[in-house]
mmCIF file with all atom_site columns, all heavy atoms in Angstrom:
data_model
loop_
_atom_site.group_PDB
_atom_site.id
_atom_site.type_symbol
_atom_site.label_atom_id
_atom_site.label_alt_id
_atom_site.label_comp_id
_atom_site.label_asym_id
_atom_site.label_entity_id
_atom_site.label_seq_id
_atom_site.pdbx_PDB_ins_code
_atom_site.Cartn_x
_atom_site.Cartn_y
_atom_site.Cartn_z
_atom_site.occupancy
_atom_site.B_iso_or_equiv
_atom_site.pdbx_formal_charge
_atom_site.auth_seq_id
_atom_site.auth_comp_id
_atom_site.auth_asym_id
_atom_site.auth_atom_id
_atom_site.pdbx_PDB_model_num
ATOM 1  N N   . ILE A 1 26 ? 5.070  8.092  -17.441 1.00 89.00 ? 152 ILE A N   1
ATOM 2  C CA  . ILE A 1 26 ? 4.676  9.486  -17.623 1.00 89.00 ? 152 ILE A CA  1
ATOM 3  C C   . ILE A 1 26 ? 3.428  9.615  -18.484 1.00 89.00 ? 152 ILE A C   1
ATOM 4  O O   . ILE A 1 26 ? 2.543  10.442 -18.199 1.00 89.00 ? 152 ILE A O   1
ATOM 5  C CB  . ILE A 1 26 ? 5.847  10.300 -18.218 1.00 89.00 ? 152 ILE A CB  1
ATOM 6  C CG1 . ILE A 1 26 ? 6.980  10.409 -17.203 1.00 89.00 ? 152 ILE A CG1 1
ATOM 7  C CG2 . ILE A 1 26 ? 5.380  11.687 -18.648 1.00 89.00 ? 152 ILE A CG2 1
ATOM 8  C CD1 . ILE A 1 26 ? 8.196  11.150 -17.715 1.00 89.00 ? 152 ILE A CD1 1
ATOM 9  N N   . PHE A 1 27 ? 3.314  8.814  -19.538 1.00 90.00 ? 153 PHE A N   1
ATOM 10 C CA  . PHE A 1 27 ? 2.191  8.973  -20.464 1.00 90.00 ? 153 PHE A CA  1
ATOM 11 C C   . PHE A 1 27 ? 0.829  8.754  -19.789 1.00 90.00 ? 153 PHE A C   1
ATOM 12 O O   . PHE A 1 27 ? -0.078 9.587  -19.954 1.00 90.00 ? 153 PHE A O   1
ATOM 13 C CB  . PHE A 1 27 ? 2.359  8.036  -21.660 1.00 90.00 ? 153 PHE A CB  1
ATOM 14 C CG  . PHE A 1 27 ? 1.284  8.182  -22.694 1.00 90.00 ? 153 PHE A CG  1
ATOM 15 C CD1 . PHE A 1 27 ? 1.208  9.322  -23.478 1.00 90.00 ? 153 PHE A CD1 1
ATOM 16 C CD2 . PHE A 1 27 ? 0.326  7.187  -22.867 1.00 90.00 ? 153 PHE A CD2 1
ATOM 17 C CE1 . PHE A 1 27 ? 0.194  9.476  -24.431 1.00 90.00 ? 153 PHE A CE1 1
ATOM 18 C CE2 . PHE A 1 27 ? -0.680 7.325  -23.808 1.00 90.00 ? 153 PHE A CE2 1
ATOM 19 C CZ  . PHE A 1 27 ? -0.738 8.472  -24.589 1.00 90.00 ? 153 PHE A CZ  1
ATOM 20 N N   . PRO A 1 28 ? 0.629  7.661  -19.010 1.00 87.00 ? 154 PRO A N   1
ATOM 21 C CA  . PRO A 1 28 ? -0.665 7.534  -18.319 1.00 87.00 ? 154 PRO A CA  1
ATOM 22 C C   . PRO A 1 28 ? -0.945 8.676  -17.348 1.00 87.00 ? 154 PRO A C   1
ATOM 23 O O   . PRO A 1 28 ? -2.095 9.108  -17.196 1.00 87.00 ? 154 PRO A O   1
ATOM 24 C CB  . PRO A 1 28 ? -0.541 6.195  -17.576 1.00 87.00 ? 154 PRO A CB  1
ATOM 25 C CG  . PRO A 1 28 ? 0.505  5.445  -18.308 1.00 87.00 ? 154 PRO A CG  1
ATOM 26 C CD  . PRO A 1 28 ? 1.473  6.480  -18.800 1.00 87.00 ? 154 PRO A CD  1
ATOM 27 N N   . MET A 1 29 ? 0.115  9.170  -16.668 1.00 89.00 ? 155 MET A N   1
ATOM 28 C CA  . MET A 1 29 ? -0.068 10.300 -15.766 1.00 89.00 ? 155 MET A CA  1
ATOM 29 C C   . MET A 1 29 ? -0.509 11.544 -16.529 1.00 89.00 ? 155 MET A C   1
ATOM 30 O O   . MET A 1 29 ? -1.388 12.285 -16.082 1.00 89.00 ? 155 MET A O   1
ATOM 31 C CB  . MET A 1 29 ? 1.241  10.574 -15.016 1.00 89.00 ? 155 MET A CB  1
ATOM 32 C CG  . MET A 1 29 ? 1.580  9.533  -13.967 1.00 89.00 ? 155 MET A CG  1
ATOM 33 S SD  . MET A 1 29 ? 0.385  9.488  -12.611 1.00 89.00 ? 155 MET A SD  1
ATOM 34 C CE  . MET A 1 29 ? 0.527  11.139 -11.972 1.00 89.00 ? 155 MET A CE  1
ATOM 35 N N   . TYR A 1 30 ? 0.101  11.760 -17.688 1.00 90.00 ? 156 TYR A N   1
ATOM 36 C CA  . TYR A 1 30 ? -0.266 12.901 -18.520 1.00 90.00 ? 156 TYR A CA  1
ATOM 37 C C   . TYR A 1 30 ? -1.737 12.814 -18.941 1.00 90.00 ? 156 TYR A C   1
ATOM 38 O O   . TYR A 1 30 ? -2.501 13.795 -18.829 1.00 90.00 ? 156 TYR A O   1
ATOM 39 C CB  . TYR A 1 30 ? 0.634  12.950 -19.755 1.00 90.00 ? 156 TYR A CB  1
ATOM 40 C CG  . TYR A 1 30 ? 0.135  13.872 -20.855 1.00 90.00 ? 156 TYR A CG  1
ATOM 41 C CD1 . TYR A 1 30 ? 0.319  15.248 -20.770 1.00 90.00 ? 156 TYR A CD1 1
ATOM 42 C CD2 . TYR A 1 30 ? -0.540 13.353 -21.963 1.00 90.00 ? 156 TYR A CD2 1
ATOM 43 C CE1 . TYR A 1 30 ? -0.153 16.089 -21.762 1.00 90.00 ? 156 TYR A CE1 1
ATOM 44 C CE2 . TYR A 1 30 ? -1.010 14.184 -22.956 1.00 90.00 ? 156 TYR A CE2 1
ATOM 45 C CZ  . TYR A 1 30 ? -0.819 15.552 -22.865 1.00 90.00 ? 156 TYR A CZ  1
ATOM 46 O OH  . TYR A 1 30 ? -1.291 16.381 -23.847 1.00 90.00 ? 156 TYR A OH  1
ATOM 47 N N   . VAL A 1 31 ? -2.142 11.640 -19.420 1.00 89.00 ? 157 VAL A N   1
ATOM 48 C CA  . VAL A 1 31 ? -3.531 11.450 -19.861 1.00 89.00 ? 157 VAL A CA  1
ATOM 49 C C   . VAL A 1 31 ? -4.499 11.668 -18.706 1.00 89.00 ? 157 VAL A C   1
ATOM 50 O O   . VAL A 1 31 ? -5.542 12.312 -18.858 1.00 89.00 ? 157 VAL A O   1
ATOM 51 C CB  . VAL A 1 31 ? -3.716 10.043 -20.474 1.00 89.00 ? 157 VAL A CB  1
ATOM 52 C CG1 . VAL A 1 31 ? -5.189 9.764  -20.751 1.00 89.00 ? 157 VAL A CG1 1
ATOM 53 C CG2 . VAL A 1 31 ? -2.914 9.907  -21.758 1.00 89.00 ? 157 VAL A CG2 1
ATOM 54 N N   . THR A 1 32 ? -4.154 11.151 -17.525 1.00 89.00 ? 158 THR A N   1
ATOM 55 C CA  . THR A 1 32 ? -5.023 11.294 -16.355 1.00 89.00 ? 158 THR A CA  1
ATOM 56 C C   . THR A 1 32 ? -5.211 12.760 -15.980 1.00 89.00 ? 158 THR A C   1
ATOM 57 O O   . THR A 1 32 ? -6.341 13.220 -15.749 1.00 89.00 ? 158 THR A O   1
ATOM 58 C CB  . THR A 1 32 ? -4.434 10.524 -15.157 1.00 89.00 ? 158 THR A CB  1
ATOM 59 O OG1 . THR A 1 32 ? -4.328 9.143  -15.496 1.00 89.00 ? 158 THR A OG1 1
ATOM 60 C CG2 . THR A 1 32 ? -5.304 10.670 -13.925 1.00 89.00 ? 158 THR A CG2 1
ATOM 61 N N   . ILE A 1 33 ? -4.106 13.502 -15.938 1.00 90.00 ? 159 ILE A N   1
ATOM 62 C CA  . ILE A 1 33 ? -4.172 14.893 -15.489 1.00 90.00 ? 159 ILE A CA  1
ATOM 63 C C   . ILE A 1 33 ? -4.915 15.765 -16.499 1.00 90.00 ? 159 ILE A C   1
ATOM 64 O O   . ILE A 1 33 ? -5.812 16.541 -16.132 1.00 90.00 ? 159 ILE A O   1
ATOM 65 C CB  . ILE A 1 33 ? -2.752 15.435 -15.227 1.00 90.00 ? 159 ILE A CB  1
ATOM 66 C CG1 . ILE A 1 33 ? -2.134 14.712 -14.026 1.00 90.00 ? 159 ILE A CG1 1
ATOM 67 C CG2 . ILE A 1 33 ? -2.785 16.939 -14.963 1.00 90.00 ? 159 ILE A CG2 1
ATOM 68 C CD1 . ILE A 1 33 ? -0.672 14.994 -13.813 1.00 90.00 ? 159 ILE A CD1 1
#
Side-chain angles (χ1 to χ4, degrees):
I152 292 178
F153 183 70
M155 288 295 300
Y156 166 79
V157 172
T158 300
I159 293 171

